[in-house]
């Protein structure tokens, strides 16, 4: 004869089943929270990497910067760039560099080094530090003008539509200058692939500020005597530049220590026979 379950046995079974269900629910909830936390942790690492990369690139190319708490303003050859921590995000020129929100922080400047101290929630994050390529206190706006460093008309030549040769400038300032670096900025939808000098040691690389540009910083400022010429051996573009304006910027110092410097900007249009200053 088969005996059924008693009410006590059913109650015990239901209680055990409830305990198992509760344990399973807690386990699944913990797993879901763990997965969400892992995804958030990965995104935070990506955020910090993006901020570090952009800030380091801009600081390397800066000639000066100022820090005012949650904001830093960097002076680049192409103009001022503003970083700030606002609305829980890190912004560059008003555009967010972080996907996550909830960030707080402040900028601090000390000599050639800029530091961004970040936090998220109650957790302090590793500080982000970047140092200018030339560790000197550089003051822009010395009064040097293009008239004192004129482009030598007719010196530039376009070869093969992509290569500009022998752009030359003369130091007519009445004193020795020091050339700190050169930047070439291409026409829109083009890129600079190479800048070549004669017998000079320089560190050249592509740049995203502005997009497609190319910058060369000399290992030490190059003395440029009064009435002497300085010439670029070649600028090579990815696409043809015949008839399209491009810009060359010279970073010039008034002393060998580069305590004072100024960016001189020259825009050219080249045809098959010459390059004219615009």
């Amino acid at each position: 004869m088969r005996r059924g379950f008693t009410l006590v046995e059913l109650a015990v079974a239901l209680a055990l089943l409830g305990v198992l269900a509760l344990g399973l629910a807690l386990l699944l909830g913990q797993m879901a929270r763990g997965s969400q936390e892992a995804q958030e942790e990965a995104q935070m690492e990506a955020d910090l990497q993006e901020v570090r990369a952009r800030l380091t690139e801009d600081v390397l190319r800066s000639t000066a910067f100022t820090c005012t708490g949650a904001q830093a303003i960097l002076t680049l050859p192409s103009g001022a760039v503003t970083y700030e921590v606002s609305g829980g995000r890190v912004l560059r020129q008003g555009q967010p560099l972080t996907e996550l929100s909830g960030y707080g922080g402040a900028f601090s400047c000390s000599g050639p080094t800029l530091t961004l101290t970040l936090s998220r929630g109650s957790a302090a994050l590793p500080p982000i530090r970047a140092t200018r390529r030339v560790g000197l206190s550089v003051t822009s706006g010395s009064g040097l003008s293009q008239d004192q460093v004129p482009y030598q008309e007719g010196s530039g030549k376009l070869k093969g539509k992509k290569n500009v040769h022998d752009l030359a400038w003369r130091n007519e300032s009445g004193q020795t200058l020091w050339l700190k670096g050169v930047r070439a900025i291409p026409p829109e939808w083009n890129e600079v692939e190479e800048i070549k000098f004669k017998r000079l040691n320089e560190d050249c690389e592509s740049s995203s500020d502005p997009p497609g540009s190319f910058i060369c910083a000399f290992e030490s400022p190059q003395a440029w005597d009064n009435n002497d010429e300085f010439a670029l051996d070649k600028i090579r573009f990815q696409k043809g530049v015949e008839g399209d304006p491009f810009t060359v910027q010279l970073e010039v110092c008034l002393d060998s220590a580069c305590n004072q410097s100024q960016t001189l900007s020259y825009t050219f249009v080249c045809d098959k026979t010459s390059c004219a200053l615009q």
Side-chain angles (χ1 to χ4, degrees):
M1 181 176 177
R2 301 181 63 182
R3 185 176 66 86
F5 294 105
T6 66
L7 289 176
V8 174
E9 290 172 334
L10 286 173
V12 171
L14 290 173
L16 290 174
L17 184 61
V19 171
L20 290 174
L22 178 61
L24 181 61
L26 292 173
L27 179 61
L28 291 175
Q30 187 175 4
M31 291 175 62
R33 285 193 299 273
S35 176
Q36 183 178 359
E37 289 174 359
Q39 291 178 5
E40 193 167 298
E41 182 76 19
Q43 183 58 59
M44 187 171 66
E45 288 296 326
D47 283 351
L48 295 178
Q49 185 175 356
E50 175 68 11
V51 173
R52 185 179 295 108
R54 297 302 298 274
L55 186 62
T56 298
E57 181 180 4
D58 285 340
V59 169
L60 278 172
R61 290 162 174 75
S62 67
T63 57
F65 44 69
T66 58
C67 299
T68 54
Q71 187 179 81
I73 300 176
L74 284 64
T75 302
L76 274 65
S78 58
V81 173
T82 301
Y83 282 81
E84 59 184 328
V85 182
S86 178
R89 292 190 172 186
V90 181
L91 309 177
R92 180 187 186 275
Q93 298 290 73
Q95 299 300 314
L97 295 177
T98 58
E99 292 290 335
L100 298 177
S101 59
Y103 292 99
F107 295 88
S108 60
C109 297
S110 178
T113 302
L114 186 151
T115 302
L116 171 58
T117 304
L118 283 174
S119 63
R120 190 164 186 267
S122 59
L125 302 176
I128 296 173
R129 292 186 178 89
T131 302
R132 286 205 311 268
R133 187 186 302 276
V134 179
L136 298 168
S137 177
V138 177
T139 303
S140 298
S142 59
L144 197 65
S145 69
Q146 285 189 17
D147 292 337
Q148 294 171 291
V149 188
Y151 165 65
Q152 299 304 289
E153 293 289 347
S155 60
K157 300 175 183 178
L158 182 62
K159 297 182 180 180
K161 296 186 177 181
K162 296 182 181 180
N163 300 299
V164 178
H165 289 260
D166 302 322
L167 290 173
W169 294 261
R170 180 179 292 277
N171 176 9
E172 297 181 2
S173 66
Q175 61 179 316
T176 297
L177 301 174
W178 281 264
L179 193 63
K180 175 181 165 185
V182 176
R183 180 190 297 268
I185 302 173
E188 193 173 4
W189 312 117
N190 205 338
E191 293 183 15
V192 180
E193 295 187 332
E194 180 186 20
I195 301 177
K196 189 175 180 180
F197 302 88
K198 294 180 179 178
R199 300 181 299 277
L200 292 177
N201 295 320
E202 71 281 347
D203 179 16
C204 298
E205 59 185 356
S206 59
S207 173
S208 60
D209 185 30
S213 61
F214 208 87
I215 185 170
C216 293
F218 298 111
E219 292 182 1
S220 59
Q222 302 295 311
W224 189 0
D225 293 332
N226 187 49
N227 288 324
D228 279 356
E229 284 192 0
F230 163 77
L232 283 174
D233 188 30
K234 180 174 70 172
I235 304 177
R236 177 164 55 86
F237 295 87
Q238 185 182 71
K239 303 174 184 177
V241 292
E242 184 175 356
D244 292 329
F246 64 92
T247 299
V248 176
Q249 295 177 337
L250 307 182
E251 186 73 11
V252 180
C253 303
L254 296 182
D255 59 275
S256 59
C258 276
N259 292 311
Q260 287 187 307
S261 76
Q262 186 155 345
T263 299
L264 301 178
S265 187
Y266 306 80
T267 299
F268 302 94
V269 171
C270 299
D271 58 25
K272 295 179 180 179
T273 58
S274 64
C275 295
L277 186 66
Q278 299 297 291

